[in-house]
Amino acid sequence: MKPPISSPEPSPQAIADHLLTAIANFESLPPIYALMVNGLQQGLGVERVLLVQYSTLPHQIGRIVDQATAPSIPLLKELDAEADASWFPLLPQLPDQGLWAIGDREQETLQPIQREFCQALGLKSVLHLPIRLERRQWGCVSVQQLTTARPWTTTDLQFVYRLGQLLCLGLTHAEMTIRSYNQTASVQTILAQSHYQKDCLLYTSPSPRD
């Protein structure tokens, strides 16, 4: 009996195409989040990928909207500002002016906040991509190695940046879709109220006298 043939890992281009198709056929954001983190984890062969959305509310930091891990790496629990996690409040303080990487040779040149973040999570290497929408900070993608340091290649950086761009496209598309739906619902409500008021006027108008 022949052993089963293992399916090849999807190429970065195939992963990007799959994510773009999901965005074009948008129904909800969770499937897009899942494709994003799983695509990065599988495409790069890394140990953990986090997708975090920052909160716009005071006294709250945000939440993990999705994550993907290698089989030997445990999932991180849902966290917020009140959770006992020393690393989570550090996220919004990390450099947010584009993709940055910590590989196997940058440990001595880290900013204090980067060093504290890596120590809190026990990271050996990380790729960090801030996600910005219309000049506001939406959240971040954090690609992480915990057991061994990894030298990131230009291809790795381009892949993370490409999927980050697609995520921004998906988020913008979702916001436009929701805004259009709300506007349509508002117009329908106004029209319904207008018809109701018209019916009331017709019902209460006195009959003409002979």
Side-chain angles (χ1 to χ4, degrees):
M1 183 176 179
K2 294 182 179 180
I5 300 174
S6 59
S7 58
E9 291 293 332
S11 67
Q13 185 60 49
I15 292 171
D17 289 344
H18 194 187
L19 181 57
L20 185 59
T21 300
I23 292 170
N25 300 321
F26 171 78
E27 293 183 358
S28 65
L29 281 171
I32 294 176
Y33 296 152
L35 284 173
M36 169 79 175
V37 297
N38 286 297
L40 284 173
Q41 195 274 323
Q42 294 172 11
L44 294 172
V46 293
E47 293 178 315
R48 183 162 60 208
V49 178
L50 295 179
L51 178 59
V52 176
Q53 181 182 10
Y54 299 149
S55 175
T56 57
L57 300 175
H59 310 301
Q60 292 187 12
I61 297 172
R63 65 190 182 98
I64 299 174
V65 295
D66 211 334
Q67 58 183 308
T69 64
S72 60
I73 304 299
L75 291 171
L76 291 176
K77 295 181 180 179
E78 185 78 14
L79 299 170
D80 55 31
E82 288 74 31
D84 182 18
S86 60
W87 66 272
F88 202 66
L90 302 176
L91 282 171
Q93 305 175 48
L94 292 170
D96 62 354
Q97 299 303 315
L99 175 65
W100 51 267
I102 298 172
D104 59 345
R105 298 181 181 179
E106 293 87 358
Q107 296 296 330
E108 296 181 358
T109 61
L110 299 183
Q111 297 180 19
I113 190 67
Q114 292 172 313
R115 186 181 302 278
E116 186 178 356
F117 176 69
C118 290
Q119 290 176 346
L121 277 178
L123 303 181
K124 303 298 184 181
S125 300
V126 61
L127 281 174
H128 188 90
L129 179 64
I131 302 297
R132 303 183 69 88
L133 292 180
E134 298 179 352
R135 299 182 181 180
R136 62 183 171 88
Q137 191 79 349
W138 181 89
C140 67
V141 178
S142 186
V143 179
Q144 304 172 351
Q145 281 290 109
L146 290 86
T147 58
T148 57
R150 171 170 172 165
W152 304 108
T153 66
T154 301
T155 302
D156 294 337
L157 301 179
Q158 291 174 341
F159 182 49
V160 173
Y161 187 74
R162 174 58 176 159
L163 261 61
Q165 286 182 314
L166 291 177
L167 177 62
C168 289
L169 177 63
L171 292 169
T172 302
H173 181 49
E175 287 187 353
M176 293 176 61
T177 300
I178 293 171
R179 190 179 301 126
S180 176
Y181 173 82
N182 290 338
Q183 289 174 347
T184 301
S186 178
V187 170
Q188 291 175 342
T189 300
I190 293 172
L191 289 174
Q193 291 175 345
S194 176
H195 286 305
Y196 173 76
Q197 292 172 352
K198 181 180 178 181
D199 291 341
C200 288
L201 288 172
L202 290 174
Y203 179 78
T204 58
S205 297
S207 302
R209 295 184 179 178
D210 295 335

